[in-house]
């Protein structure tokens, strides 16, 4: 059995420019884009004046329109236990990602000197990019989620314009969710001396890391002869703490050891980040300089103990996330990512699984800063396909180089605590799959011997029999809670990870009766009940996972499917149009919390009290009918009042899994008015209360930005929650009014989203219907500082207005 007891100092790889030593230029603006086939678009003399001007990152498909015919599939989804093929119309989001697209941009290198090295770096391109420079092919890559670069030093026009052209091609039947399309992550030009630190050439670990002392090992790969290296370390406040000078490399690699006394340890609770500056010299001349931000922390995985961080045993409280950002699509936006993580942080979440793809560098940077552990995943397919045109086409030729780039580009992030080489791969069956799993494990261990490797396994019985699960460092179980005990006894590692859990489905603000457990339930409106009692045929309700983690010390934690709804995969309505996005999210596609958010918060957020009641209390026509009331709270007991009359005290107990973690009044009969829940402490003293009242007719619009001040950088976004309320300020929970959006001043209307998985309204158009009384408007700053005014209006409603300030500070 392989035991991981790791004392590691990790770094965030980051480059900075000092003088003319190294320059990093992001190619962000003035791209020309055209969708469609064009055999001559790489040529320098090609006329692209009629093409659309876009900013990269860019997703060409998110602007729609939604179309039932996009990627229509007739398939039996094996992951859903389906045996008979049926028509699937929303599996990849019903957005026009299929087809070819071209991007063109011109750039100069005003400070270029002959003999310097120029690197062209792509952080992701969807998909199969072919790259041309000045009319000549540079190279290609297949995997849309991977980072890759080309040395273009010998192709640069040093004295004038350089034309960069990129061809992308997205196949149908290539994904199980919305993949996005285009140059959806950053593109950069790195210019440096020929004698320099190699791309992704810094690797930082620590053989010893305690609260008293850290022994920091830094390996730096360089190009050039007779170079020497100086590295210094600064603490989170920028104070100098250590330095080392290395005069002689081992081949092309310098190996340095530095001591940090009484380091501030990185954790989700204290995400302390240090800085290292590496300076490469030849003689007395500074050749290159790279800044590395890093965090010091210890991770350990041991049989009989489980997972420890900095010597403290803890359970992983994680969620799975797809890469799309709702109404922004796949196009990377750091403010949108930060908002996601802030919402999850308040819930008490402390870990992210990038499902089922390689994470963006921005996502890892924010996880480092904000304090999230990370399970970085690589592939959804190996050699055996799930979809006809998926990654299986490239696995045998590309898997190793894709993993190498993943690890080299990201291994220094303190947030990453584990790698995943795959998710629910059909290769779990048979001896060939075992060999592939072993091969991938060895690649990860060769490139990074400091972290364990897992696979999200759904064919648990098969992996017990074949040895597939036994060779993994950490067995990851996707669902299959009924097999946990058997798997624990069968596998030798002495621990299990819930690599994917729950798959409970719900629609924000929608409730169905009667309130009973339901598997794959469907309704005429294509929504799912937010009583959180419905789940998929292969999955379960959240409480089953809660009990395993509470009662089994060998279960090291979970990653819930999913933190946010995502485009595509609208289970249980895969075969129903117009469903086009998921129902799995703890938060909806707009980032608005569903009721289930508070169930997890009541368990995960140990710093703040939670008391949340459901459902809403607008049920005209249900007078006198049973309408159960639930409370999600970290308190053990509470009392329900309906219009001042007590419905009794409920106390958490072990009679059922739901009674252990929820408070439920199942026999309440609806009458208009107010419901109130009062929570009591262990001494029966009231400590918190919440109430919900029957709302009147929609009267006005209330707007609430997540931030009132944003950066005037052309990218920052304020997410404005829009609510339809009555005269008394109560949210109208069934309101579906058509709302219009107008933005004036130093910003623009970017998009809107209401969280309705069946809505076919295009995100970028300045109008949308509210869903369950709410939606979110995205207001984006331009590059000039000043006020931005958003007005939201609707027929017969008092308009809502807000001013957002953009600043260049």
């Amino acid at each position: 059995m392989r035991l991981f007891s790791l004392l590691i100092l990790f770094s965030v790889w980051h480059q900075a420019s000092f003088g003319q030593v190294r320059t990093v230029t992001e190619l962000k603006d003035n791209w020309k884009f055209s969708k469609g086939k064009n055999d001559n678009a790489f040529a320098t003399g090609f006329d692209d004046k009629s093409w659309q001007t876009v900013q990269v990152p860019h997703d060409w498909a998110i602007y729609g329109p939604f179309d039932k015919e996009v990627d229509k599939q007739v398939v039996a989804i094996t992951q859903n236990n389906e045996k008979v093929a049926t028509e699937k119309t929303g599996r990849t989001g019903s957005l026009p990602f299929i087809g070819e697209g071209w991007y063109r941009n011109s750039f100069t290198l005003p400070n270029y000197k002959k003999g310097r090295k120029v690197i062209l770096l792509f952080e992701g391109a969807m998909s199969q990019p072919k790259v041309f420079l000045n009319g000549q092919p540079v190279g290609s890559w297949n995997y849309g989620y991977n980072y890759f670069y080309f040395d273009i030093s010998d192709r640069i026009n040093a004295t004038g314009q350089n034309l960069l052209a990129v061809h992308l091609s997205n196949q149908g039947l290539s994904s199980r969710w919305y993949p996005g399309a285009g140059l959806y992550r950053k593109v950069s030009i790195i210019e440096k001396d020929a004698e320099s630190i190699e791309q992704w050439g810094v690797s930082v670990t620590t053989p010893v890391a305690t609260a008293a002392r850290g022994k920091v090992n830094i390996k730096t790969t360089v190009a050039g002869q007779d170079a020497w290296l100086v590295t210094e370390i600064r603490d989170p406040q920028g104070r100098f703490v250590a330095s080392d000078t290395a005069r002689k490399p081992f081949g092309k690699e310098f190996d340095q050891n530095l001591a940090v006394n009484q380091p501030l340890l990185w954790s989700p609770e204290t995400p302390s980040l240090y800085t290292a500056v590496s300076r490469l010299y030849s003689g007395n001349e500074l050749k290159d300089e790279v800044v590395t931000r890093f965090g010091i922390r210890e991770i350990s995985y041991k049989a009989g103990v489980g997972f420890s961080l900095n010597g403290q045993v803890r359970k992983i409280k994680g969620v799975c996330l797809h890469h799309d950002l709702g109404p922004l699509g796949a196009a990377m936006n750091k403010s949108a990512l930060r908002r996601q993580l802030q919402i999850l942080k308040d819930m008490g979440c402390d870990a992210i699984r990038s499902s089922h793809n390689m994470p963006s560098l921005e996502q890892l940077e924010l996880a480092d800063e904000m304090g999230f552990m990370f399970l970085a995943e690589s592939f959804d397919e190996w050699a055996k396909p799930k979809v006809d045109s998926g990654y299986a086409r490239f696995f045998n030729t590309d898997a190793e180089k894709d993993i190498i780039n993943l690890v080299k580009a990201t291994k220094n992030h303190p947030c990453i605590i584990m790698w995943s080489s795959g998710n629910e791969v059909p290769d779990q069956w048979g001896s060939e799959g075992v060999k592939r799993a072993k091969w991938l494990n060895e690649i990860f261990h060769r490139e990074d011997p400091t972290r364990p490797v897992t696979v999200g396994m759904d064919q648990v019985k098969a992996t017990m029999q074949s040895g597939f699960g036994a060779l993994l460092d950490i067995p990851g179980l996707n669902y299959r809670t009924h097999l946990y005990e058997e798997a624990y006894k069968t596998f030798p590692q002495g621990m299990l990870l819930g690599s994917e859990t729950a798959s409970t489905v719900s629609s924000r603000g929608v409730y169905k009766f009667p309130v009973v457990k339901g598997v794959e339930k469907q309704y005429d409106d294509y929504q799912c009940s937010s009583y959180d009692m419905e789940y998929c045929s292969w999955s379960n309700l959240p409480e089953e996972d809660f009990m395993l983690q509470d009662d089994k010390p060998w279960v090291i934690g979970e990653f819930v499917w999913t933190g946010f709804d995502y485009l595509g995969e609208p289970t249980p309505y895969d075969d129903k149009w117009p469903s086009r996005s998921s129902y799995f999210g703890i938060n909806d596609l707009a980032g608005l919390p569903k009721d289930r958010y508070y169930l997890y918060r009541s368990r995960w957020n140990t710093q703040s009290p939670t008391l949340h009641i459901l459902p809403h209390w607008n049920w005209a026509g249900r007078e006198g009918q049973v309408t159960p009331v639930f409370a999600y709270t970290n308190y053990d007991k509470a009392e329900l009042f309906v219009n001042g009359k007590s419905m009794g005290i409920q106390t958490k107990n072990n009679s059922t899994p739901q009674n252990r973690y929820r408070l439920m009044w199942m026999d309440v009969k609806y009458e208009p008015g107010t419901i109130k829940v009062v929570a009591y402490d262990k001494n029966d003293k009231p400590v918190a209360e919440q109430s919900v009242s029957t709302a009147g007719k929609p009267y006005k619009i209330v707007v609430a930005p997540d931030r009132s001040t944003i950066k005037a950088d052309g990218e920052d976004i304020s997410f404005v929650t829009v609510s339809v309320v009555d005269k008394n300020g109560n949210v109208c929970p069934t309101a579906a009014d058509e709302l219009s959006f107008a933005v004036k001043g130093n910003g623009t209307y970017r998009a809107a989203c209401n969280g309705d998985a069946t809505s076919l309204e295009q995100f970028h158009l300045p109008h949308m219907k509210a869903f369950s009384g709410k939606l979110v408007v995205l207001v984006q700053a331009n590059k000039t500082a000043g006020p931005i005014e958003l007005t939201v209006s609707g027929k017969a409603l008092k308009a809502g207005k807000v001013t957002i300030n953009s600043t260049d500070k």
Side-chain angles (χ1 to χ4, degrees):
M1 180 177 64
R2 186 182 183 95
L3 296 179
F4 278 78
S5 185
L6 312 176
L7 295 172
I8 304 168
L9 176 68
F10 294 89
S11 71
V12 178
W13 187 87
H14 174 71
Q15 296 176 323
S17 171
F18 293 83
Q20 299 307 314
V21 174
R22 170 183 290 243
T23 59
V24 181
T25 304
E26 182 182 346
L27 299 181
K28 180 168 55 178
D29 298 317
N30 301 315
W31 285 87
K32 289 291 188 175
F33 166 73
S34 178
K35 186 180 178 184
K37 186 177 179 61
N38 196 316
D39 293 336
N40 299 314
F42 65 90
T44 55
F46 181 84
D47 185 1
D48 59 15
K49 290 181 181 178
S50 63
W51 285 17
Q52 182 183 1
T53 301
V54 301
Q55 186 180 79
V56 167
H58 177 249
D59 178 355
W60 81 55
I62 193 60
Y63 301 97
F66 294 100
D67 187 344
K68 178 181 179 180
E69 300 303 314
V70 172
D71 206 26
K72 185 166 65 176
Q73 304 178 17
V74 179
V75 63
I77 303 175
T78 57
Q79 287 76 29
N80 295 9
N81 297 326
E82 294 180 359
K83 305 299 183 184
V84 178
T86 57
E87 181 180 281
K88 307 295 194 297
T89 57
R91 198 178 187 197
T92 52
S94 302
L95 288 164
F97 73 94
I98 296 169
E100 300 180 47
W102 280 93
Y103 291 82
R104 288 165 55 94
N105 202 344
S106 294
F107 64 93
T108 60
L109 298 177
N111 300 309
Y112 179 80
K113 294 180 181 179
K114 187 175 181 180
R116 284 171 66 81
K117 182 174 287 190
V118 183
I119 299 295
L120 175 60
L121 173 64
F122 292 82
E123 296 182 12
M126 192 62 70
S127 59
Q128 296 178 246
K130 295 178 181 177
V131 180
F132 302 83
L133 185 68
N134 298 326
Q136 299 299 314
V138 170
S140 62
W141 208 263
N142 288 318
Y143 193 29
Y145 290 109
N146 202 202
Y147 339 93
F148 61 95
Y149 65 93
F150 302 112
D151 186 336
I152 56 173
S153 306
D154 60 350
R155 302 169 188 266
I156 283 293
N157 178 2
T159 60
Q161 293 284 329
N162 291 274
L163 174 69
L164 175 62
V166 184
H167 173 261
L168 297 167
S169 178
N170 284 338
Q171 306 297 313
L173 304 176
S174 60
S175 180
R176 299 191 300 119
W177 55 85
Y178 175 70
L183 294 177
Y184 73 107
R185 292 179 181 169
K186 289 196 298 188
V187 180
S188 301
I189 300 288
I190 303 166
E191 184 184 348
K192 58 183 181 173
D193 198 276
E195 290 187 270
S196 56
I197 296 169
E198 294 280 22
Q199 181 70 13
W200 305 326
V202 177
S203 178
V204 185
T205 60
T206 269
V208 177
T210 68
R213 190 172 177 84
K215 180 183 177 183
V216 184
N217 177 252
I218 304 179
K219 293 180 171 65
T220 307
T221 306
V222 303
Q225 301 294 323
D226 302 321
W228 53 286
L229 185 71
V230 177
T231 299
E232 69 176 35
I233 294 176
R234 296 184 177 274
D235 69 11
Q237 287 72 45
R239 297 173 298 208
F240 172 87
V241 293
S243 69
D244 181 77
T245 299
R247 294 285 179 180
K248 204 154 182 79
F250 296 91
K252 294 185 176 182
E253 183 179 83
F254 287 98
D255 195 331
Q256 297 175 288
N257 290 292
L258 299 88
V260 176
N261 293 322
Q262 297 181 320
L264 300 171
L265 300 182
W266 184 96
S267 74
E269 294 73 31
T270 57
S272 303
L273 295 171
Y274 286 73
T275 302
V277 180
S278 301
R279 297 187 179 97
L280 186 71
Y281 293 87
S282 179
N284 293 323
E285 184 182 359
L286 179 63
K287 291 291 187 178
D288 199 6
E289 190 164 23
V290 169
V291 175
T292 303
R293 196 181 55 168
F294 64 89
I296 303 170
R297 58 98 168 108
E298 172 196 18
I299 58 174
S300 173
Y301 298 86
K302 290 183 179 179
V305 176
F307 168 66
S308 299
L309 177 67
N310 300 329
Q312 300 294 316
V313 178
R314 62 190 292 161
K315 302 281 186 170
I316 296 167
K317 302 179 293 186
V319 300
C320 300
L321 288 181
H322 268 316
H323 71 299
D324 80 64
L325 294 170
L328 297 176
M332 176 51 52
N333 181 279
K334 202 165 184 177
S335 60
L337 273 176
R338 188 184 297 276
R339 174 181 178 250
Q340 279 194 342
L341 294 183
Q342 287 171 334
I343 291 168
L344 293 174
K345 196 78 173 179
D346 181 69
M347 188 175 69
C349 173
D350 66 9
I352 306 294
R353 176 189 178 212
S354 60
S355 313
H356 305 290
N357 49 265
M358 300 176 180
S360 69
L361 299 184
E362 289 92 343
Q363 191 176 34
L364 296 174
E365 290 166 5
L366 286 172
D368 290 336
E369 294 173 13
M370 300 176 68
F372 286 88
M373 299 178 289
F374 216 96
L375 171 52
E377 196 151 79
S378 50
F379 309 122
D380 189 50
E381 283 186 2
W382 292 353
K384 292 185 178 180
K386 296 180 183 178
V387 289
D388 292 350
S389 299
Y391 186 76
R393 293 177 293 158
F394 313 120
F395 178 80
N396 290 328
T397 57
D398 290 13
E400 182 169 9
K401 69 177 185 178
D402 284 335
I403 288 175
I404 289 171
N405 279 13
L406 166 66
V407 176
K408 284 188 174 181
T410 69
K411 68 179 178 180
N412 295 320
H413 284 273
C415 62
I416 298 178
I417 60 169
M418 196 183 308
W419 304 109
S420 169
S421 61
N423 170 71
E424 297 183 358
V425 292
D427 314 66
Q428 290 168 90
W429 297 91
S431 60
E432 287 301 312
V434 178
K435 294 174 183 176
R436 290 179 190 124
K438 184 175 185 296
W439 176 61
L440 295 173
N441 263 21
E442 290 170 348
I443 297 170
F444 274 108
H445 291 156
R446 182 191 72 208
E447 298 299 319
D448 175 22
T450 68
R451 292 182 182 89
V453 181
T454 189
V455 169
M457 301 183 295
D458 63 333
Q459 303 301 321
V460 179
K461 284 282 191 181
T463 64
M464 290 183 200
Q465 296 166 2
S466 67
F468 184 109
L471 65 83
L472 300 173
D473 302 319
I474 305 294
L477 269 62
N478 284 10
Y479 316 106
R480 311 305 188 265
T481 53
H482 63 288
L483 295 176
Y484 268 50
E485 289 278 3
E486 184 180 354
Y488 171 64
K489 293 175 182 177
T490 301
F491 295 143
Q493 296 91 340
M495 69 191 79
L496 298 177
L497 169 68
S499 46
E500 192 170 310
T501 64
S503 275
T504 306
V505 290
S506 60
S507 303
R508 177 182 55 80
V510 175
Y511 307 91
K512 302 295 185 179
F513 304 96
V515 180
V516 294
K517 278 188 182 181
V519 180
E520 301 282 349
K521 292 203 72 172
Q522 294 187 343
Y523 302 94
D524 290 342
D525 60 359
Y526 301 164
Q527 304 292 350
C528 298
S529 178
S530 275
Y531 273 109
D532 302 323
M533 298 289 280
E534 298 175 5
Y535 55 99
C536 303
S537 61
W538 67 87
S539 64
N540 51 270
L541 296 180
E543 288 84 359
E544 291 186 40
D545 298 299
F546 294 170
M547 290 191 300
L548 284 166
Q549 291 157 59
D550 287 346
D551 300 342
K552 311 295 181 184
W554 40 267
V555 178
I556 66 173
E558 70 171 319
F559 289 92
V560 181
W561 192 263
T562 53
F564 290 79
D565 279 336
Y566 54 92
L567 292 161
E569 209 171 19
T571 309
Y573 296 107
D574 302 86
D575 59 343
K576 297 291 190 298
W577 179 254
S579 294
R580 47 72 172 159
S581 60
S582 79
Y583 300 80
F584 297 116
I586 295 172
N587 300 276
D588 72 14
L589 196 69
L592 295 173
K594 302 180 186 178
D595 292 292
R596 194 161 12 111
Y597 176 93
Y598 299 95
L599 178 60
Y600 284 96
R601 191 182 193 275
S602 70
R603 173 179 166 76
W604 284 356
N605 187 336
T606 59
Q607 304 302 312
S608 305
T610 298
L611 177 59
H612 174 79
I613 58 177
L614 63 134
H616 64 69
W617 212 236
N618 275 57
W619 296 106
R622 286 192 60 82
E623 289 80 3
Q625 297 184 46
V626 172
T627 306
V629 175
F630 289 6
Y632 295 157
T633 179
N634 56 335
Y635 299 107
D636 287 334
K637 65 172 66 174
E639 186 172 9
L640 171 67
F641 297 87
V642 177
N643 293 329
K645 181 181 179 181
S646 176
M647 297 290 109
I649 294 175
Q650 291 290 334
T651 303
K652 292 177 183 176
N653 61 75
N654 294 330
S655 60
T656 70
Q658 281 66 52
N659 286 108
R660 184 171 172 179
Y661 297 99
R662 315 183 194 195
L663 298 176
M664 303 183 293
W665 292 263
M666 299 301 296
D667 299 325
V668 178
K669 293 183 179 179
Y670 174 68
E671 58 183 69
T674 298
I675 56 174
K676 180 174 72 172
V677 169
V678 178
Y680 299 99
D681 65 14
K682 294 180 180 180
N683 297 316
D684 294 329
K685 292 183 178 179
V687 288
E689 68 176 56
Q690 189 195 36
S691 61
V692 175
S693 297
T694 305
K697 294 181 179 180
Y699 173 71
K700 68 177 180 178
I701 297 165
V702 173
V703 292
D706 68 332
R707 290 180 301 145
S708 296
T709 301
I710 58 178
K711 293 181 181 179
D713 59 3
E715 299 177 22
D716 204 4
I717 294 174
S718 178
F719 291 78
V720 182
T721 299
V722 178
S723 303
V724 178
V725 304
D726 67 8
K727 286 186 177 182
N728 297 317
N730 298 305
V731 173
C732 300
T734 62
D737 300 74
E738 181 82 16
L739 305 179
S740 297
F741 324 116
V743 175
K744 296 191 301 183
N746 295 75
T748 59
Y749 167 76
R750 180 65 178 83
C753 185
N754 60 14
D756 180 1
T758 69
S759 173
L760 300 183
E761 296 175 280
Q762 292 168 262
F763 301 123
H764 69 287
L765 299 181
H767 53 81
M768 183 172 287
K769 290 181 179 179
F771 177 65
S772 296
K774 294 188 176 186
L775 53 74
V776 173
V777 174
L778 285 65
V779 177
Q780 185 166 315
N782 58 29
K783 293 184 178 181
T784 303
I788 309 167
E789 184 180 270
L790 167 68
T791 301
V792 182
S793 57
K795 186 177 181 180
L797 293 173
K798 186 178 179 181
K801 292 185 179 182
V802 67
T803 297
I804 298 162
N805 294 311
S806 68
T807 175
D808 51 14
K809 295 181 181 180

